[in-house]
Amino acid sequence: MIEMKNFIDGEFVGSGSGTTFENFDPTVGRVYAQVHEASRDDVDRAVKAAQAAMRGPWGRMSIAERSELLLKVADRVNERFDEFLQAECRDTGKPYSLASHIDIPRGAANFKVFADIIRNVPTEAFRMETPDGAGALNYGVRVPKGVIAVICPWNLPLLLMTWKVGPALACGNTVVVKPSEETPATATLLGEVMNEVGVPPGVYNVVNGRGGDSTGEFLTQHPGVDAITFTGETITGTAIMQSAAVGIRDVSFELGGKNAGVVFADADFDQAVDGIQRAVFANCGQVCLGTERVYVERPIFERFVDALKTRAEGLKIGPPDATDTGMGPMVSSQQRNKVLSYYDLARSLGADIVTGGGVPEMGGDYANGFWIEPTIWTGLAEDSPVIKEEIFGPCCHIAPFDDEDEVIAQANATDYGLCTTIWTQDSARTHRVAAQIDVGISWVNCWFLRDLRTSFGGAKQSGIGREGGVHSLEFYTELRNVCVKL
Ligand code: NAD
């Protein structure tokens, strides 16, 4: 049995309270690791270590030195690529083919990109006039915020964590990370990397545990935390915001979504089917940017439904290391039950179940894994909970539409506003529609293409703030103005 400890002040330490919790391999449905749960005291030690590191060598380090260290972190993650890959896939059940292209390379790239950006950030300067004629010079200086609490979900554990830790450290902050209780493995492994490349103790800390009334809440309530960056469910964001209100701490939130995919009849049909297939079923549908509502222009509706059905039925469900695996299991039995409850609800509401709707038969060792069928529905009313609520599984509803205004209104008829994916070959329509769908990210004729220098974040209840490129600096630094009388 593997043991996963907390990483505090550069050391792997057991839970102060002696409490551990179980971590499951979702492909077999069995416990494979015991994780040390961080108590309130453990969290306090981690925050104090992070504060001390800010006052110590990390706080005194030049931007160039910090940047060099982060490049070494990126290199070391790449050198230990296979270990990260195996750890991530065991924790989540996702296919190697996916994690080796997305999760692990992006985990490394998140350090490299921000190491580069931080060396090249300009700040503003203004020369002003004064009554005595001598003038004054104003200039801006970016300073780190301090200790950042980083709270992460389970769907893309390393990628989403480093997306926050990379810029936080590049800007000179220290971090206390609370990975999801479902997926602590790669955050733990990253602690080893930090020590190997010489990141000072206390700069990167990991506390394991659950959320409410547990480690996550102990962390967000800690007065030594200067700002909180969180990715997860909108309802959790509400709870975290309440903690952050005490002490007026800043938050950056990447929250849930109920994203619409819009396919016009003039789209490149095969390209659109490819893109929507990935947007619906990649990572077993456990992607915040995924598409659970697909709108297809009526002339190609039936052909499109048939094509996506064929794709869904062609997805090979299997373990991470099988080269032909197209889709792994859900991360936990709890998450699978949640998704299955929507499968039942869709059935009871009279949906036409185009494909799926249940649990596949898996033999041998995999009989008790958290597998689920990719599922497509048509025929549900637009106000159905299946169409309104985030499910976070490998499923979508497809509805026909007749004109542009109608589909824009449908796409916007949600409390969420994370992203959309639009498929058309009409370039004027591209810009017209993208301008009217109320989201943080619009993809046209593509999905999940990310240039890490661009802004990332959601509108409406899908988030607060933007991260990515120089936009991350708005959250991870304070901009101080210095006014010098000449
Ligand atoms: P979740 O909100 O249940 O948990 C996320 C993290 O918050 C976990 O580490 C959890 O332990 C912690 N947490 C829970 N309650 C807490 C509390 N009261 N105080 C402090 N911490 C607490 O989310 P999840 O189920 O892990 O992830 C799935 C959700 O994440 C989906 O809603 C998905 O859309 C969203 N997500 C959003 C993005 C994005 O970029 N917008 C990316 C990935 C996932």
Side-chain angles (χ1 to χ4, degrees), residues 152-154 178 181 216 230-233 236 254-256 288 390 392:
C152 309
W154 43 260
K178 211 296 280 170
E181 53 274 41
F230 165 71
T231 299
E233 285 194 48
T236 312
E254 292 172 1
L255 307 175
C288 56
E390 182 184 48
F392 221 57

Side-chain angles (χ1 to χ4, degrees), residues 46-106:
V47 173
K48 287 189 172 138
Q51 287 176 316
M54 283 296 301
R55 294 190 299 269
W58 185 248
R60 291 192 293 272
M61 212 175 262
S62 70
I63 288 176
E65 287 169 324
R66 243 177 16 231
S67 168
E68 281 304 318
L69 261 184
L70 296 184
L71 290 174
K72 286 185 186 164
V73 173
D75 287 346
R76 192 66 188 137
V77 170
N78 280 327
E79 282 162 19
R80 297 185 63 178
F81 193 96
D82 287 347
E83 284 171 84
F84 274 94
L85 181 65
Q86 279 160 26
E88 196 74 313
C89 293
R90 184 143 199 210
D91 238 3
T92 58
K94 66 178 72 192
Y96 282 9
S97 56
L98 183 71
S100 63
H101 278 98
I102 306 271
D103 301 68
I104 314 304
R106 265 288 301 278

